[in-house]
Coordinates of all heavy atoms in Angstrom, one line a residue:
M27 N 13.1 -16.9 -23.8 CA 12.8 -16.5 -22.4 C 13.5 -15.2 -22.0 O 13.9 -15.0 -20.9 CB 13.2 -17.6 -21.4 CG 12.3 -18.7 -21.4 SD 10.7 -18.3 -20.7 CE 10.0 -19.9 -20.4
D28 N 13.7 -14.3 -23.0 CA 14.4 -13.1 -22.7 C 13.5 -11.8 -22.9 O 13.9 -10.8 -23.4 CB 15.7 -12.9 -23.4 CG 15.5 -12.9 -24.9 OD1 14.4 -13.5 -25.4 OD2 16.3 -12.3 -25.6
E29 N 12.2 -12.0 -22.6 CA 11.3 -10.9 -22.8 C 11.2 -10.1 -21.5 O 11.4 -10.6 -20.4 CB 9.9 -11.4 -23.2 CG 9.4 -12.4 -22.2 CD 8.1 -13.0 -22.7 OE1 7.0 -12.4 -22.4 OE2 8.1 -14.0 -23.4
S30 N 11.1 -8.8 -21.7 CA 11.0 -7.9 -20.5 C 9.7 -8.1 -19.8 O 8.6 -8.2 -20.3 CB 11.1 -6.5 -21.0 OG 10.7 -5.6 -20.0
T31 N 9.8 -8.3 -18.5 CA 8.7 -8.6 -17.7 C 8.2 -7.4 -16.9 O 7.3 -7.5 -16.1 CB 8.9 -9.8 -16.8 OG1 10.1 -9.5 -16.0 CG2 9.1 -11.0 -17.5
Q32 N 8.8 -6.2 -17.0 CA 8.4 -5.1 -16.2 C 7.6 -4.1 -17.0 O 8.0 -3.0 -17.2 CB 9.5 -4.5 -15.5 CG 10.7 -4.2 -16.5 CD 11.8 -3.5 -15.7 OE1 11.6 -2.8 -14.8 NE2 13.0 -3.7 -16.2
T33 N 6.4 -4.6 -17.5 CA 5.6 -3.6 -18.2 C 4.4 -3.2 -17.4 O 4.2 -2.0 -17.3 CB 5.1 -4.3 -19.5 OG1 4.7 -5.6 -19.2 CG2 6.2 -4.4 -20.5
E34 N 3.7 -4.1 -16.8 CA 2.4 -3.7 -16.3 C 2.5 -3.2 -14.8 O 1.7 -2.4 -14.4 CB 1.4 -4.9 -16.3 CG 1.2 -5.3 -17.7 CD -0.2 -5.8 -17.9 OE1 -1.0 -5.7 -17.0 OE2 -0.5 -6.2 -19.0
S35 N 3.4 -3.6 -14.1 CA 3.4 -3.3 -12.7 C 4.2 -2.1 -12.3 O 4.2 -1.6 -11.2 CB 3.9 -4.5 -11.9 OG 5.2 -4.8 -12.3
E36 N 4.9 -1.5 -13.3 CA 5.7 -0.3 -13.0 C 5.3 0.9 -13.7 O 6.1 1.7 -14.1 CB 7.2 -0.6 -13.3 CG 7.6 -1.9 -12.5 CD 9.0 -1.6 -11.9 OE1 9.1 -0.6 -11.1 OE2 9.9 -2.4 -12.1
Q37 N 4.0 1.1 -13.8 CA 3.6 2.3 -14.5 C 2.8 3.3 -13.6 O 2.0 4.0 -14.0 CB 2.7 1.9 -15.7 CG 3.4 1.2 -16.8 CD 2.5 0.8 -17.9 OE1 1.3 0.7 -17.7 NE2 3.1 0.5 -19.1
G38 N 3.1 3.2 -12.4 CA 2.4 4.0 -11.4 C 1.0 3.5 -11.2 O 0.2 4.2 -10.6
T39 N 0.7 2.4 -11.6 CA -0.6 1.8 -11.3 C -0.7 1.3 -9.9 O 0.3 1.1 -9.3 CB -0.9 0.6 -12.3 OG1 0.2 -0.3 -12.2 CG2 -1.1 1.1 -13.7
P40 N -1.9 1.3 -9.3 CA -2.0 0.8 -8.0 C -1.4 -0.5 -7.7 O -1.4 -1.4 -8.6 CB -3.5 0.8 -7.8 CG -4.1 1.8 -8.7 CD -3.1 1.7 -9.9
T41 N -0.9 -0.7 -6.5 CA -0.2 -1.9 -6.2 C -1.1 -3.1 -6.1 O -0.7 -4.2 -6.5 CB 0.5 -1.7 -4.9 OG1 1.0 -0.4 -4.8 CG2 1.6 -2.7 -4.7
G42 N -2.3 -3.0 -5.7 CA -3.2 -4.1 -5.6 C -4.3 -3.9 -4.6 O -4.5 -2.8 -4.1
Y43 N -5.0 -5.0 -4.4 CA -6.2 -5.0 -3.5 C -5.8 -5.4 -2.2 O -5.1 -6.4 -2.0 CB -7.2 -5.9 -4.2 CG -8.6 -5.8 -3.6 CD1 -9.4 -4.8 -4.0 CD2 -9.0 -6.8 -2.7 CE1 -10.6 -4.7 -3.5 CE2 -10.3 -6.7 -2.2 CZ -11.1 -5.7 -2.6 OH -12.4 -5.6 -2.1
G44 N -6.2 -4.7 -1.2 CA -5.8 -5.0 0.2 C -6.6 -4.3 1.2 O -7.5 -3.5 0.9
F45 N -6.2 -4.5 2.5 CA -7.0 -4.0 3.6 C -6.4 -2.6 3.9 O -5.2 -2.5 4.2 CB -6.9 -4.9 4.8 CG -7.8 -4.5 5.9 CD1 -9.2 -4.8 5.8 CD2 -7.3 -3.8 7.0 CE1 -10.0 -4.4 6.9 CE2 -8.1 -3.5 8.0 CZ -9.5 -3.8 8.0
C46 N -7.2 -1.6 3.9 CA -6.7 -0.3 4.3 C -6.9 -0.1 5.8 O -8.0 -0.3 6.4 CB -7.6 0.8 3.6 SG -7.2 2.5 4.2
S47 N -5.8 0.2 6.5 CA -5.8 0.2 7.9 C -6.4 1.5 8.4 O -6.7 1.7 9.6 CB -4.4 0.2 8.5 OG -3.7 -1.0 8.1
W48 N -6.7 2.5 7.6 CA -7.2 3.8 8.0 C -8.7 3.8 8.0 O -9.4 4.2 8.9 CB -6.6 4.9 7.2 CG -5.3 5.3 7.8 CD1 -5.1 6.4 8.6 CD2 -4.0 4.7 7.7 NE1 -3.8 6.5 9.0 CE2 -3.1 5.5 8.4 CE3 -3.6 3.6 7.0 CZ2 -1.8 5.1 8.5 CZ3 -2.2 3.3 7.1 CH2 -1.4 4.0 7.9
H49 N -9.3 3.3 6.9 CA -10.8 3.3 6.9 C -11.3 1.9 7.2 O -12.5 1.7 7.2 CB -11.4 3.9 5.6 CG -11.3 3.1 4.4 ND1 -10.2 3.2 3.5 CD2 -12.1 2.1 3.9 CE1 -10.4 2.3 2.5 NE2 -11.6 1.7 2.7
Q50 N -10.4 1.0 7.5 CA -10.8 -0.4 7.9 C -11.7 -1.1 7.0 O -12.6 -1.8 7.3 CB -11.6 -0.3 9.3 CG -10.8 0.4 10.4 CD -9.7 -0.5 11.0 OE1 -10.0 -1.5 11.5 NE2 -8.5 0.0 10.9
R51 N -11.4 -1.0 5.7 CA -12.1 -1.7 4.7 C -11.1 -2.2 3.6 O -10.0 -1.6 3.5 CB -13.1 -0.8 3.9 CG -14.2 -0.2 4.8 CD -15.3 -1.2 5.1 NE -15.9 -1.8 3.9 CZ -17.1 -1.4 3.4 NH1 -17.8 -0.5 4.0 NH2 -17.6 -2.1 2.4
F52 N -11.5 -3.2 2.8 CA -10.7 -3.6 1.7 C -10.8 -2.5 0.6 O -11.9 -2.0 0.4 CB -11.0 -4.9 1.2 CG -10.4 -6.0 2.1 CD1 -11.2 -6.5 3.2 CD2 -9.2 -6.5 1.8 CE1 -10.6 -7.5 4.0 CE2 -8.6 -7.5 2.7 CZ -9.3 -8.0 3.7
A53 N -9.7 -2.3 -0.1 CA -9.8 -1.3 -1.2 C -8.8 -1.7 -2.2 O -7.8 -2.4 -2.0 CB -9.5 0.1 -0.6
A54 N -9.0 -1.1 -3.4 CA -8.0 -1.3 -4.5 C -6.9 -0.3 -4.4 O -7.1 0.8 -4.0 CB -8.7 -1.2 -5.8
G55 N -5.7 -0.7 -4.8 CA -4.6 0.3 -4.9 C -4.0 0.7 -3.6 O -3.5 1.8 -3.4
V56 N -4.0 -0.2 -2.6 CA -3.4 0.1 -1.3 C -1.9 0.1 -1.5 O -1.3 -0.6 -2.3 CB -3.8 -0.8 -0.2 CG1 -5.3 -0.7 0.0 CG2 -3.5 -2.3 -0.6
R57 N -1.2 0.9 -0.7 CA 0.2 0.9 -0.6 C 0.7 0.7 0.8 O 0.0 1.2 1.7 CB 0.8 2.3 -1.1 CG 0.4 2.7 -2.5 CD 1.4 2.2 -3.5 NE 2.8 2.4 -3.2 CZ 3.6 3.3 -3.7 NH1 3.1 4.3 -4.4 NH2 4.9 3.3 -3.4
L58 N 1.8 0.1 1.0 CA 2.4 -0.1 2.3 C 2.8 1.2 2.9 O 3.6 2.0 2.3 CB 3.6 -1.0 2.2 CG 4.4 -1.3 3.5 CD1 3.5 -2.0 4.5 CD2 5.6 -2.1 3.2
I59 N 2.4 1.5 4.1 CA 2.7 2.8 4.7 C 3.7 2.5 5.8 O 4.8 3.1 5.9 CB 1.5 3.5 5.3 CG1 0.4 3.7 4.2 CG2 1.9 4.8 6.0 CD1 0.9 4.6 3.1
N60 N 3.4 1.6 6.7 CA 4.3 1.4 7.8 C 4.4 -0.1 8.0 O 3.4 -0.8 7.8 CB 3.7 1.9 9.1 CG 4.1 3.4 9.3 OD1 5.2 3.8 9.1 ND2 3.1 4.2 9.7
H61 N 5.5 -0.6 8.5 CA 5.3 -1.8 9.2 C 6.0 -1.8 10.6 O 7.1 -1.3 10.8 CB 5.7 -3.0 8.4 CG 7.1 -3.2 8.0 ND1 8.0 -4.0 8.7 CD2 7.9 -2.7 7.0 CE1 9.1 -4.1 8.2 NE2 9.1 -3.2 7.2
I62 N 5.2 -2.3 11.5 CA 5.5 -2.2 12.9 C 6.1 -3.5 13.4 O 5.4 -4.5 13.3 CB 4.3 -1.8 13.7 CG1 3.6 -0.5 13.1 CG2 4.6 -1.7 15.2 CD1 2.2 -0.4 13.5
E63 N 7.3 -3.5 13.9 CA 7.9 -4.7 14.3 C 7.6 -5.0 15.7 O 8.4 -4.7 16.6 CB 9.4 -4.7 14.0 CG 9.7 -4.1 12.6 CD 10.8 -4.8 12.0 OE1 11.3 -5.7 12.5 OE2 11.1 -4.4 10.8
Q64 N 6.5 -5.7 15.9 CA 6.2 -6.1 17.3 C 6.0 -7.6 17.5 O 5.9 -8.0 18.6 CB 4.9 -5.4 17.7 CG 5.1 -3.9 17.9 CD 3.9 -3.2 18.5 OE1 2.7 -3.7 18.4 NE2 4.1 -2.2 19.3
G65 N 6.0 -8.3 16.4 CA 6.0 -9.7 16.4 C 4.8 -10.3 17.0 O 4.8 -11.4 17.6
S66 N 3.7 -9.6 17.0 CA 2.4 -10.1 17.6 C 1.4 -10.2 16.5 O 0.6 -9.3 16.4 CB 2.0 -9.2 18.7 OG 1.9 -7.9 18.3
G67 N 1.4 -11.3 15.8 CA 0.3 -11.5 14.9 C 0.5 -10.9 13.5 O 1.6 -10.3 13.3
P68 N -0.4 -11.0 12.7 CA -0.3 -10.6 11.3 C -0.5 -9.1 11.1 O -0.5 -8.6 10.0 CB -1.3 -11.4 10.5 CG -2.4 -11.7 11.5 CD -1.7 -11.7 12.9
G69 N -0.9 -8.4 12.1 CA -1.3 -7.0 12.0 C -0.1 -6.0 12.1 O -0.2 -4.9 12.5
G70 N 1.1 -6.5 11.7 CA 2.3 -5.7 11.8 C 2.5 -4.7 10.7 O 3.3 -3.9 10.7
V71 N 1.7 -4.8 9.6 CA 1.8 -3.9 8.5 C 0.6 -3.1 8.3 O -0.5 -3.5 8.6 CB 2.2 -4.6 7.2 CG1 3.6 -5.2 7.3 CG2 1.2 -5.6 6.8
Q72 N 0.8 -1.9 7.9 CA -0.4 -1.0 7.6 C -0.4 -0.5 6.2 O 0.6 0.0 5.7 CB -0.3 0.2 8.5 CG -0.5 -0.1 10.0 CD -0.4 1.2 10.8 OE1 0.6 1.9 10.8 NE2 -1.4 1.4 11.6
Y73 N -1.5 -0.7 5.5 CA -1.7 -0.3 4.2 C -2.7 0.8 4.1 O -3.7 0.8 4.9 CB -2.1 -1.5 3.3 CG -1.1 -2.5 3.1 CD1 -0.9 -3.6 4.0 CD2 -0.2 -2.5 2.0 CE1 0.0 -4.5 3.8 CE2 0.8 -3.4 1.8 CZ 0.9 -4.5 2.7 OH 1.9 -5.4 2.6
A74 N -2.6 1.7 3.2 CA -3.6 2.7 3.0 C -3.9 2.9 1.5 O -3.1 2.8 0.7 CB -3.1 4.0 3.5
C75 N -5.2 3.1 1.3 CA -5.7 3.3 -0.1 C -5.4 4.8 -0.5 O -5.0 5.6 0.4 CB -7.2 3.0 -0.2 SG -8.2 4.1 0.8
Q76 N -5.6 5.1 -1.7 CA -5.2 6.4 -2.2 C -6.0 7.5 -1.5 O -5.5 8.5 -1.1 CB -5.3 6.5 -3.7 CG -4.7 7.8 -4.2 CD -4.8 8.0 -5.7 OE1 -5.8 7.6 -6.2 NE2 -3.8 8.6 -6.3
P77 N -7.3 7.4 -1.4 CA -8.1 8.5 -0.7 C -7.6 8.7 0.7 O -7.5 9.8 1.2 CB -9.5 8.0 -0.8 CG -9.6 7.1 -1.9 CD -8.2 6.4 -2.0
C78 N -7.3 7.6 1.4 CA -6.8 7.8 2.8 C -5.4 8.4 2.8 O -5.1 9.2 3.7 CB -6.8 6.5 3.5 SG -8.5 5.9 4.0
R79 N -4.6 8.1 1.8 CA -3.3 8.7 1.8 C -3.3 10.2 1.6 O -2.6 10.9 2.2 CB -2.4 8.0 0.7 CG -2.1 6.6 0.9 CD -0.9 6.2 0.1 NE -1.0 6.4 -1.3 CZ -1.5 5.6 -2.2 NH1 -2.0 4.5 -1.8 NH2 -1.6 5.9 -3.4
I80 N -4.3 10.6 0.8 CA -4.5 12.0 0.6 C -5.1 12.7 1.8 O -4.6 13.7 2.3 CB -5.4 12.2 -0.7 CG1 -4.7 11.8 -1.9 CG2 -5.8 13.7 -0.8 CD1 -5.5 11.7 -3.1
Q81 N -6.1 12.0 2.4 CA -6.8 12.6 3.5 C -5.9 12.7 4.7 O -6.0 13.7 5.4 CB -8.0 11.8 3.8 CG -8.9 12.4 4.9 CD -10.2 11.6 5.1 OE1 -10.5 10.7 4.3 NE2 -10.9 11.9 6.1
Y82 N -5.1 11.7 5.0 CA -4.3 11.7 6.2 C -2.8 12.1 5.9 O -2.0 12.0 6.7 CB -4.3 10.4 6.8 CG -5.7 10.0 7.3 CD1 -6.5 9.1 6.6 CD2 -6.2 10.5 8.5 CE1 -7.8 8.8 7.0 CE2 -7.5 10.2 8.9 CZ -8.2 9.3 8.2 OH -9.5 9.0 8.6
N83 N -2.6 12.5 4.6 CA -1.2 12.9 4.3 C -0.2 11.9 4.5 O 0.9 12.1 5.1 CB -0.9 14.2 5.0 CG 0.0 15.1 4.2 OD1 0.2 14.9 3.1 ND2 0.5 16.2 4.9
L84 N -0.4 10.7 4.1 CA 0.4 9.5 4.3 C 1.4 9.4 3.2 O 1.1 9.6 2.0 CB -0.4 8.3 4.4 CG -1.5 8.3 5.5 CD1 -2.4 7.1 5.3 CD2 -0.8 8.2 6.9
V85 N 2.6 9.0 3.5 CA 3.6 8.8 2.5 C 4.0 7.3 2.5 O 4.3 6.7 3.5 CB 4.9 9.6 2.9 CG1 6.0 9.3 1.8 CG2 4.6 11.1 2.9
P86 N 3.8 6.7 1.3 CA 4.1 5.3 1.2 C 5.6 5.0 1.7 O 6.5 5.8 1.4 CB 3.9 4.9 -0.2 CG 3.0 6.0 -0.7 CD 3.3 7.2 0.1
F87 N 5.7 3.9 2.3 CA 7.0 3.4 2.8 C 8.1 3.5 1.8 O 9.2 3.9 2.0 CB 6.9 2.0 3.4 CG 8.0 1.5 4.2 CD1 8.3 2.0 5.5 CD2 8.9 0.6 3.6 CE1 9.4 1.6 6.2 CE2 10.0 0.2 4.3 CZ 10.2 0.7 5.6
A88 N 7.8 3.1 0.6 CA 8.8 3.0 -0.5 C 9.2 4.3 -1.0 O 10.2 4.5 -1.7 CB 8.2 2.1 -1.6
D89 N 8.4 5.4 -0.7 CA 8.6 6.7 -1.3 C 9.4 7.6 -0.3 O 9.7 8.7 -0.6 CB 7.3 7.4 -1.7 CG 6.7 6.7 -2.8 OD1 7.3 5.8 -3.4 OD2 5.5 7.0 -3.1
R90 N 9.8 7.1 0.8 CA 10.5 7.9 1.8 C 11.9 8.1 1.5 O 12.5 7.1 0.9 CB 10.3 7.4 3.2 CG 8.9 7.6 3.7 CD 8.8 7.2 5.1 NE 7.3 7.1 5.4 CZ 6.8 6.5 6.4 NH1 7.5 5.8 7.2 NH2 5.5 6.5 6.6
Ligands
ZN101 ZN1 -8.6 3.9 3.1

């Protein structure tokens, strides 16, 4: 049980499939951009897909 488990998810590949808050559709490779702490429902986080990150000049939360 000592095999390395960080092979596939850390190669700069897209994070996953999720809802893009900018174009309001589900997309592959969304990244967390913001999370807003307002405590009102599940809409506290905003994810953006790569085309929207480029178009709106968004910086992923983890890259700041
Ligand atoms: Zn998008």
Side-chain angles (χ1 to χ4, degrees):
M27 281 295 195
D28 61 333
E29 56 186 270
S30 164
T31 51
Q32 47 177 331
T33 46
E34 300 216 1
S35 58
E36 302 229 53
Q37 293 179 339
T39 49
T41 321
Y43 191 76
F45 189 79
C46 174
S47 299
W48 274 261
H49 75 266
Q50 304 283 303
R51 301 279 307 255
F52 281 91
V56 296
R57 299 271 317 259
L58 175 65
I59 303 299
N60 275 316
H61 69 97
I62 304 160
E63 314 220 1
Q64 291 190 330
S66 55
V71 293
Q72 293 182 303
Y73 291 88
C75 64
Q76 191 184 34
C78 287
R79 291 202 309 272
I80 293 170
Q81 185 175 350
Y82 298 100
N83 212 10
L84 303 167
V85 180
F87 189 76
D89 293 351
R90 284 183 195 166

